[in-house]
Amino acid sequence: MNTTVEERDEGLVLNGEKTWVSRFEDASAGVTWVKFPEGLGTVIVDFDDPGVEVSNHYTNMAGHEQTHYYMEDIVIPSENVLTRGEDAFKEQLKALNWERLAVASISNTWALAALEQALEYAQDREQFGQPIAEFQGLEWKLSEMVTYLEASRALTYRAAEDAVAQGRVPDPLQTGAANLFSGQTAESIISEALQIFGANGYQQGHPLEYLYRLQRGWRFAGGTDEIQKNTVARWLKRGGVPSLLN
């Protein structure tokens, strides 16, 4: 990361860039991770500052616009400094646990939407004189979708409930596992729902075709699958199996 904040006569001065920013056009400011002289931290950057220059707008697979912009000699007011100092990075990582839990919840929502569409279609679509939902192969497919979705929701809810009950941020191991499992599960459920629809669901403009593209991006949000695996393994090694029994 090469976005930095330096101490100058005029105050804290930021220089750097930020990319893959969603909904830039709807926001007036953004949280930016930076390097202070003593280490990592976070600040708020006002987008109307003359030092903010948009480089490009990208359109991702889901059709959403993401922005890449540069920041040059932006003076950061003290009230716009969110975290700084020796413990700043730890505080930033804690905040990521909320994001990862939110991503898991979103993935579960898309999976539920896909399951609902698949069930309705399977009950309405008839082949060989009966709804395709009556065929054992489809029943097994639907039951597996439900089972994995319920497991994913349970992981997500437990992480949230434990955090609220104990008055703390969500547990890194729990949120990493929930983020990892929900992202993969939702993609699988949406894919299976599309399989039930067949060619009908594969057409551009169909809700499942859109969900398929949309969900793929949520396996990057809050950290990639590989980062989630690293997080889960690191916390497991730190606390051991007994930590899972709490």
Side-chain angles (χ1 to χ4, degrees):
M1 189 174 69
N2 53 22
T3 298
T4 60
V5 170
E6 299 177 290
E7 301 269 10
R8 297 185 187 174
D9 293 339
E10 60 268 40
L12 297 172
V13 179
L14 180 149
N15 282 280
E17 62 182 307
K18 188 167 181 173
T19 192
W20 315 125
V21 180
S22 301
R23 302 200 177 279
F24 176 87
E25 67 280 4
D26 298 324
S28 60
V31 176
T32 304
W33 290 46
V34 300
K35 281 185 179 178
F36 283 97
E38 69 273 19
L40 293 176
T42 44
V43 301
I44 297 175
V45 173
D46 292 317
F47 292 154
D48 59 359
D49 190 289
V52 176
E53 181 180 353
V54 174
S55 169
N56 209 340
H57 295 291
Y58 304 99
T59 301
N60 63 25
M61 282 177 60
H64 298 168
E65 189 174 87
Q66 295 179 297
T67 301
H68 179 189
Y69 59 88
Y70 289 90
M71 298 162 284
E72 183 176 359
D73 290 335
I74 295 176
V75 178
I76 303 297
S78 58
E79 62 267 24
N80 282 14
V81 177
L82 296 179
T83 60
R84 182 180 182 180
E86 293 182 359
D87 295 328
F89 186 61
K90 293 180 181 179
E91 293 301 316
Q92 291 168 260
L93 291 182
K94 288 180 182 179
L96 275 180
N97 291 327
W98 288 116
E99 179 183 355
R100 288 169 177 170
L101 202 56
V103 169
S105 299
I106 291 169
S107 293
N108 291 336
T109 300
W110 299 151
L112 189 63
L115 175 61
E116 183 178 32
Q117 292 181 54
L119 177 61
E120 181 179 352
Y121 180 82
Q123 290 175 322
D124 290 341
R125 171 74 164 152
E126 291 191 1
Q127 283 290 329
F128 307 105
Q130 66 181 39
I132 62 174
E134 298 301 316
F135 291 103
Q136 187 180 62
L138 265 292
E139 288 183 327
W140 286 8
K141 193 181 293 289
L142 289 168
S143 67
E144 288 181 352
M145 293 162 72
V146 171
T147 301
Y148 281 102
L149 176 57
E150 285 297 280
S152 181
R153 294 171 70 192
L155 277 172
T156 306
Y157 293 158
R158 183 192 172 191
E161 289 171 353
D162 285 355
V164 172
Q166 299 176 30
R168 56 166 173 75
V169 298
D171 179 79
L173 188 151
Q174 289 180 326
T175 52
N179 188 299
L180 173 66
F181 189 75
S182 66
Q184 294 178 342
T185 295
E187 185 176 333
S188 175
I189 288 174
I190 294 168
S191 179
E192 289 297 280
L194 199 153
Q195 188 73 16
I196 292 173
F197 270 81
N200 290 324
Y202 193 60
Q203 302 304 307
Q204 285 190 353
H206 192 279
L208 282 178
E209 179 267 343
Y210 171 68
L211 277 179
Y212 193 77
R213 291 183 286 112
L214 177 64
Q215 175 56 33
R216 190 62 184 85
W218 287 106
R219 287 180 60 188
F220 309 136
T224 63
D225 289 1
E226 292 73 21
I227 288 295
Q228 306 308 331
K229 291 177 181 179
N230 290 346
T231 299
V232 170
R234 183 169 62 251
W235 284 91
L236 175 62
K237 290 185 291 184
R238 182 178 299 182
V241 171
S243 66
L244 302 177
L245 306 177
N246 296 332

